[in-house]
């Protein structure tokens, strides 16, 4: 759904070409691939918070630092992505070069998205953000009440979050030249599961352009497993789902929370939140064909689920990106992913079956039915 939104907003001729090229290599699922249309580039691992579900709360093992403007340009110009996500482990506003990075990307007609906890989003920073012009700023809101929010986002203050968020939305609305969409996002976990309908109601009242969310997902092999939904009962799920349906009747902005609603509606069939513990182990994933994750210090990883650099193909500050993206280690990873999802890949919730099914017709064409390595 987000990709459709991106394609509609883009005026760049690069999009259809790069998307089709990436789609071709992904569906073929050969060990090699082409230049990615999407790039997730971590701009910092520095953060002013230690949120309960984040690897930072248990201590990140890899280096802490921020991406410089010069290093960003060096990598960006090699890939020239259509879609750039500047979110990583840290808070983007902790990087002093973040506005220059966004501006450079937008000047190159790239669609830019990033996430913020909004606690540093003062009026001055808000104006700088809007002037830099990202297409989407997603604001994390993991609680609809002071008690729940502050229990998760330590040591943030709910009042500061609300004030900054309201002011930022007002600034955007009062100045017509600012085009940035402002989205809300919730990571549903043990402490805020019961507030899902209240979150939707509050996000709607605050005036967000879109309301989003997903389950808490374990990133990498860190030991932060205390926020999961393992103890949610069928009664809990049904109660929250019924309350959510009532709230949705008054919401007029887009919601991108299909996985959450599916989970609530089919809780008994799914047998709880096991979907994040191997539920999608037999489902296709194409991320390592079109979405690299590059850390602030240049490590090229298969995707952002490898949050602790558990698998690194190479360093883009030492070798050209495409040489790394198709080296022996990258090819071996893709071969394994086609064969079987193991390790971190087996426990993540990515399921791109919808994408794969769109191209299943190829198998029915005599000459083309064998073009894919994926069976």
């Amino acid at each position: 759904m987000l990709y459709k939104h991106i394609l509609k907003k883009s005026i760049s001729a690069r999009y259809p070409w790069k998307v089709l090229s990436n789609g071709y290599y992904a569906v073929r699922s050969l060990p090699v691939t082409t230049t990615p249309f999407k790039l997730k580039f971590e701009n910092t691992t520095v953060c002013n918070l230690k949120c309960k579900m984040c690897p930072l709360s248990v201590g990140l093992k890899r280096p802490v630092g921020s991406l410089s403007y010069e290093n960003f340009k060096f990598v960006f110009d090699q890939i020239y992505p259509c879609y750039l996500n500047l979110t990583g482990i840290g808070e983007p506003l902790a990087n002093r070069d973040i506005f220059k990075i966004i501006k450079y990307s937008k000047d190159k007609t790239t669609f830019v998205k990033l996430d913020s906890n909004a606690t540093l989003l003062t009026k001055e920073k808000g104006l700088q953000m809007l002037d830099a012009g990202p297409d989407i700023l997603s604001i994390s809101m993991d609680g609809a009440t002071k008690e729940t929010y502050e229990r998760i986002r330590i040591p943030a203050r709910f009042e500061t979050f609300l004030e900054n968020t309201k002011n930022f939305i007002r600034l955007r609305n009062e100045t017509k030249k600012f085009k940035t969409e402002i989205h809300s996002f919730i990571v549903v976990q043990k402490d805020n599961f019961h507030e899902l309908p209240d979150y939707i109601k509050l996000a709607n009242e605050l005036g967000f352009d879109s309301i989003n969310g997903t389950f808490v997902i374990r990133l990498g092999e860190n030991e932060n497993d205390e926020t999961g939904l393992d103890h949610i009962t069928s009664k809990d799920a049904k109660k929250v789902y019924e309350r959510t349906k009532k709230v949705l009747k008054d919401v007029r902005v887009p919601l991108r929370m299909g996985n959450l609603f599916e989970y609530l509606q089919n809780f008994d069939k799914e047998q709880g939140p096991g979907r994040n513990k191997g539920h999608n182990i037999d489902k296709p994933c194409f991320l390592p064909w079109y979405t690299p994750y590059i850390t602030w210090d240049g490590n090229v990883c298969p995707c952002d689920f490898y949050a602790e650099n558990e698998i690194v193909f190479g360093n883009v500050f030492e070798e050209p990106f495409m040489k790394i993206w198709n080296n022996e280690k990258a090819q071996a990873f893709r071969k394994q992913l086609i064969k079987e999802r193991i390790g971190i890949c087996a426990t993540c919730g990515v399921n791109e079956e919808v994408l794969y099914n769109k191209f299943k017709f190829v198998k029915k064409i005599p000459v083309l039915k064998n073009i894919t390595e994926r069976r």
Side-chain angles (χ1 to χ4, degrees), residues 296-313:
W296 71 272
D297 50 354
N299 288 322
V300 179
C301 305
C303 71
D304 56 331
F305 286 93
Y306 290 86
E308 283 284 13
N309 287 352
E310 291 87 354
I311 293 181
V312 175
F313 297 153

Side-chain angles (χ1 to χ4, degrees), residues 56-201:
L56 285 176
S57 67
V58 292
L60 199 65
K61 298 181 181 66
R62 60 186 174 92
V64 173
S66 296
L67 175 68
S68 70
Y69 175 60
E70 291 73 21
N71 281 345
F72 168 76
K73 286 198 301 179
F74 175 73
V75 177
F76 180 94
D77 289 345
Q78 292 182 55
I79 302 173
Y80 196 11
C82 303
Y83 172 27
L84 173 67
N85 189 318
L86 288 168
T87 302
I89 294 297
E91 164 56 40
L93 289 175
N95 183 348
R96 64 183 182 182
D97 285 347
I98 187 60
F99 303 122
K100 291 169 65 178
I101 288 171
I102 295 170
K103 188 69 167 58
Y104 184 83
S105 307
K106 290 305 304 171
D107 287 345
K108 298 289 186 178
T109 69
T110 290
F111 188 100
V112 179
K113 176 184 180 295
L114 68 160
D115 299 57
S116 173
N117 61 42
T119 59
L120 301 178
L121 194 62
T122 60
K123 182 178 181 180
E124 179 185 1
K125 294 285 187 182
L127 285 170
Q128 287 180 283
M129 179 68 73
L130 291 168
D131 188 59
D135 295 274
I136 296 176
L137 179 69
S138 179
I139 294 180
S140 301
M141 187 169 76
D142 292 317
T145 63
K146 176 179 173 65
E147 179 184 9
T148 299
Y149 177 86
E150 293 183 1
R151 185 185 303 130
I152 294 172
R153 294 199 160 262
I154 304 167
R157 290 292 172 261
F158 192 52
E159 295 84 358
T160 301
F161 164 81
L162 285 178
E163 181 181 2
N164 288 351
T165 299
K166 290 176 181 178
N167 287 339
F168 185 67
I169 293 174
R170 183 163 52 248
L171 278 173
R172 194 280 311 270
N173 292 345
E174 288 175 353
T175 310
K176 292 183 179 180
K177 73 172 185 176
F178 295 140
K179 305 298 183 182
T180 298
E181 288 194 14
I182 307 171
H183 294 188
S184 69
F185 197 92
I186 185 173
V187 177
V188 175
Q189 52 199 279
K190 179 177 63 177
D191 288 333
N192 65 9
F193 174 78
H194 63 288
E195 285 191 358
L196 178 59
D198 303 299
Y199 154 76
I200 295 172
K201 182 178 180 180

Side-chain angles (χ1 to χ4, degrees), residues 31-42:
V32 297
T33 186
T34 188
T35 308
F37 93 91
K38 177 183 176 183
L39 169 63
K40 190 158 190 180
F41 207 160
E42 176 183 71

Side-chain angles (χ1 to χ4, degrees), residues 273-322:
R275 62 193 305 118
N276 290 330
K277 293 186 177 180
H279 179 86
N280 291 323
I281 194 169
D282 61 340
K283 305 301 182 183
C285 172
F286 300 109
L287 294 181
W289 277 264
Y290 70 89
T291 308
Y293 179 64
I294 303 179
T295 61
W296 71 272
D297 50 354
N299 288 322
V300 179
C301 305
C303 71
D304 56 331
F305 286 93
Y306 290 86
E308 283 284 13
N309 287 352
E310 291 87 354
I311 293 181
V312 175
F313 297 153
N315 191 288
V316 76
F317 299 145
E318 300 170 1
E319 295 181 279
F321 171 78
M322 283 307 295

Side-chain angles (χ1 to χ4, degrees), residues 10 62 79 145 206 208 210 263 293 317 337 342 364-365:
S10 172
R62 60 186 174 92
I79 302 173
T145 63
L206 288 172
F208 283 102
S210 177
Y263 163 63
Y293 179 64
F317 299 145
L337 185 57
I342 62 174
K364 298 179 181 180
I365 302 174

